[in-house]
Amino acid sequence: MTSTPRETTVPAPLTVGFDLDMTLIDSRPGIRANYLALSAATGRFIDADEAVTRLGPPLEDELAYWFEPEEIPEMRDRYREMYATYAIEPTPAMPGAREAIKAVQALGGRAIVVTAKNTPNALHHLEHLGIEADAVIGWLWAEAKAGALREHGAQIYVGDHVGDVRGARTAGALSVAVPTGPCPEAELRAAGADVVLPDLTALPEWLAGYVRTREV
């Protein structure tokens, strides 16, 4: 009697997506500075300290607190034109950000950034901080991130916001959340996060275990 060889399934190449604001970078100082500059340039009051408590959703959502609907397209463009001048230099990397990206790459994987921030400014941040992602895709928020995640074959998406959880789940990716932004752990879990880590410093160890499980 001959035995039939067992079929083995080779896991797809590892690809991990990361959100940017409050996941890889602490964008609060830079965004605060940019809102203050926009306020000074327009003569319109903007509570920059309040604005940075709501990071995650698209820029237009925040501008709606301070400007009339018909003003938002112009203010959005002015904000983005000023961004490189005021927001890049004050913005630090989050603890463990560089190491998290390198951990993916050290395992032979690709680390991509999928963010609501526009792509040019996202690239400015990463270049300034020496964070070397394999691809950067901007202009995407919440469920809209799913298309880019699927296109790049991401099995995991790491983010700090419930919108990131929704994006991961829509893409069929594992949602790994870090409560380093506006959403606390309980809110991330309630939104459906599969894994909640305290911050990115815990990601390399967790990822190594995940990869071992994939290879079994």
Side-chain angles (χ1 to χ4, degrees):
M1 182 176 179
T2 59
S3 60
T4 303
R6 291 181 60 189
E7 292 185 5
T8 57
T9 302
V10 178
L14 177 67
T15 300
V16 180
F18 292 85
D19 178 48
L20 185 65
D21 287 351
M22 302 311 299
T23 299
L24 288 174
I25 64 173
D26 183 350
S27 49
R28 290 171 296 186
I31 288 177
R32 180 180 184 277
N34 208 50
Y35 275 125
L36 291 175
L38 181 65
S39 177
T42 60
R44 188 71 61 86
F45 173 73
I46 299 173
D47 188 334
D49 293 316
E50 180 182 335
V52 298
T53 68
R54 293 190 285 255
L55 299 183
L59 171 61
E60 291 86 349
D61 289 14
E62 182 61 38
L63 292 175
Y65 286 96
W66 315 111
F67 297 95
E68 297 300 323
E70 64 273 13
E71 297 175 303
I72 290 175
E74 179 187 353
M75 294 303 107
R76 175 197 61 207
D77 293 345
R78 291 186 72 173
Y79 177 96
R80 287 176 176 154
E81 287 168 4
M82 302 166 75
Y83 195 91
T85 300
Y86 294 98
I88 302 299
E89 193 279 331
T91 298
M94 294 294 280
R98 295 181 185 87
E99 293 80 3
I101 295 289
K102 290 177 180 177
V104 176
Q105 295 163 339
L107 291 166
R110 299 178 71 247
I112 66 172
V113 174
V114 183
T115 174
K117 193 178 295 298
N118 69 85
T119 305
N121 284 335
L123 287 167
H124 283 317
H125 277 298
L126 296 172
E127 290 166 2
H128 176 71
L129 295 170
I131 297 174
E132 298 181 357
D134 295 289
V136 180
I137 307 98
W139 312 96
L140 299 174
W141 159 243
E143 290 85 352
K145 295 184 175 187
L149 294 171
R150 285 194 295 260
E151 180 182 348
H152 287 267
Q155 297 92 9
I156 300 167
Y157 186 59
V158 184
D160 67 281
H161 199 282
V162 293
D164 300 322
V165 177
R166 298 202 307 269
R169 295 183 67 84
T170 302
L174 194 75
S175 171
V176 176
V178 286
T180 51
C183 301
E185 179 177 347
E187 191 173 344
L188 294 166
R189 290 192 184 279
D194 297 294
V195 177
V196 179
L197 302 174
D199 56 36
L200 287 183
T201 64
L203 187 84
E205 182 178 356
W206 175 85
L207 186 63
Y210 168 83
V211 169
R212 286 195 297 271
T213 301
R214 291 178 80 219
E215 292 173 346
V216 172

